[in-house]
Amino acid sequence: MEKVTIRATQNPAIIKFEFSDFIASRTNYEFKNIDDTANSPLARQLFYLPFVKTVYISGNFIAIERYSIVEWTDVQDEVAEQIENFVNNGGQILIENQEEAKKKVPVTVYVESTPNPAVMKFVSNKLLTKTMAEFKNIDQTAPSALARELFKFPFVKEVFIDENYISVTKYDMADWNEITAEVRSFIRSFIEDGNTVIDESLIQQTPAAEKQQEAYFDNLDATSQRIINILEEYVKPAVQGDGGNIAFESYDEADKRVKVILQGACSGCPSSTFTLKSGIENMLKDMLNDNDIKVEAINA
């Protein structure tokens, strides 16, 4: 007898029902309505529940996004029981298309909110780039076909890509509740279809990428090198977790002023000034043993 386990996710509207074994062996599936469910009898049945908005099937789980007419705490046990009964009575979860599945690369993309209300973070289970890249407009997107396509959405203002995630900044005209699923689905399909997210050979020719290289670091003064090491070790992991980045720009020995660049979710974030002054500046003062140190974001 199959027993499913209920798991909460980062998104309160989405909950996962996990199986003990894989149910989708070759790709990920997303069903937006009952008309999409030709290859999933289980998804078709789930759409008869009035609160089901989207059904995702991947690996060993089924994830369901609900409409706000209910809370998961009120219905999740009932849904789990329905899924278990369907499977244990011989119901088919998926009818996988062998030819289509061969063309796709299985990818999972999940969504995380950030401290910046204008920015959402889309996280992939695949490495996307070893060289981070920020795109302020479509004219800068020659190295990234994904960024170029994202800018074709009228609500996309900026795109930041690093390691395994994409941070998307929106214009105020749009609400994340209305566009998150569309952006997530687009990113997942783009990666699954085998498209190149970033041409790193083109990114490495940019001034921002050159500052990440060892030759640039080696030519800096000792204090600047210490500042970069502190930012890399103590600050960058935290801001990356929030979908952003902090990059060293310069250090003025006479003025004791450290200039940094905030990227991704950190750029334009309402809390960034507080973070710079109360967190990073105090950390540098303490670790460099110099109370005159000042930190300034040149794009805050």
Side-chain angles (χ1 to χ4, degrees):
M1 297 288 286
E2 185 65 57
K3 184 76 174 175
V4 300
T5 302
I6 301 171
R7 304 279 189 198
T9 71
Q10 297 271 352
N11 187 335
I14 298 177
I15 203 164
K16 291 167 65 174
F17 300 88
E18 292 185 352
F19 290 76
S20 57
D21 203 355
F22 282 89
I23 56 174
S25 59
R26 297 179 177 84
T27 189
N28 305 309
Y29 298 85
E30 180 175 1
F31 306 99
K32 306 294 289 185
N33 56 62
I34 198 168
D35 295 331
D36 292 341
T37 59
N39 62 334
S40 178
L42 175 56
R44 186 182 311 122
Q45 177 170 314
L46 290 170
F47 273 109
Y48 286 114
L49 298 172
F51 53 82
V52 171
K53 182 179 181 181
T54 309
V55 177
Y56 310 94
I57 301 179
S58 176
N60 70 327
F61 68 85
I62 297 169
I64 301 176
E65 181 180 9
R66 61 169 173 81
Y67 287 105
S68 57
I69 59 174
V70 299
E71 295 294 331
W72 273 122
T73 51
D74 297 328
V75 298
Q76 62 187 33
D77 292 334
E78 174 191 341
V79 176
E81 183 179 358
Q82 181 169 325
I83 293 173
E84 289 172 357
N85 289 338
F86 179 90
V87 174
N88 291 326
N89 288 327
Q92 193 168 6
I93 297 174
L94 283 169
I95 305 169
E96 294 193 291
N97 184 318
Q98 302 283 341
E99 291 305 313
E100 180 182 354
K102 288 178 182 176
K103 298 176 184 177
K104 292 185 175 289
V105 180
V107 173
T108 300
V109 175
Y110 65 90
V111 182
E112 290 183 355
S113 59
T114 76
N116 189 339
V119 179
M120 198 67 76
K121 181 180 177 184
F122 299 86
V123 185
S124 168
N125 65 332
K126 303 288 185 183
L127 180 67
L128 305 178
T129 181
K130 295 178 182 177
T131 308
M132 66 182 177
E134 183 176 41
F135 306 98
K136 296 289 192 178
N137 55 63
I138 197 168
D139 294 333
Q140 299 176 348
T141 59
S144 175
L146 174 58
R148 183 164 57 253
E149 293 302 313
L150 285 171
F151 273 110
K152 293 179 182 179
F153 290 102
F155 48 77
V156 171
K157 184 179 180 181
E158 297 177 15
V159 178
F160 177 77
I161 305 175
D162 190 12
E163 296 184 350
N164 68 327
Y165 68 88
I166 302 107
S167 289
V168 177
T169 305
K170 69 173 181 63
Y171 287 104
D172 292 339
M173 61 180 276
D175 189 295
W176 278 122
N177 289 331
E178 298 172 355
I179 62 176
T180 297
E182 180 182 9
V183 176
R184 175 198 164 277
S185 178
F186 175 81
I187 291 173
R188 180 178 59 83
S189 297
F190 184 95
I191 300 171
E192 276 188 342
D193 289 341
N195 296 304
T196 300
V197 174
I198 282 186
D199 183 340
E200 293 194 58
S201 65
L202 296 178
I203 283 291
Q204 288 167 2
Q205 298 171 15
T206 64
E210 288 175 358
K211 288 189 175 182
Q212 300 176 49
Q213 297 172 11
E214 288 185 16
Y216 172 80
F217 179 86
D218 291 341
N219 288 326
L220 293 173
D221 61 272
T223 303
S224 294
Q225 291 180 345
R226 289 187 66 195
I227 292 169
I228 290 175
N229 287 334
I230 292 169
L231 294 177
E232 289 285 332
E233 184 173 356
Y234 296 100
V235 180
K236 187 168 288 188
V239 296
Q240 283 181 323
D242 287 336
N245 184 61
I246 183 168
F248 174 83
E249 175 63 18
S250 64
Y251 171 65
D252 186 334
E253 177 65 37
D255 193 34
K256 300 296 181 73
R257 187 178 303 275
V258 180
K259 291 185 179 181
V260 298
I261 299 173
L262 300 177
Q263 298 173 305
C266 298
S267 178
C269 179
S271 62
S272 62
T273 301
F274 175 79
T275 301
L276 283 172
K277 293 300 178 184
S278 68
I280 299 170
E281 187 174 285
N282 287 339
M283 179 186 295
L284 290 176
K285 286 179 178 179
D286 182 57
M287 299 187 78
L288 296 174
N289 195 26
D290 189 339
N291 287 327
D292 293 327
I293 290 286
K294 298 177 285 291
V295 178
E296 173 187 336
I298 62 176
N299 63 332

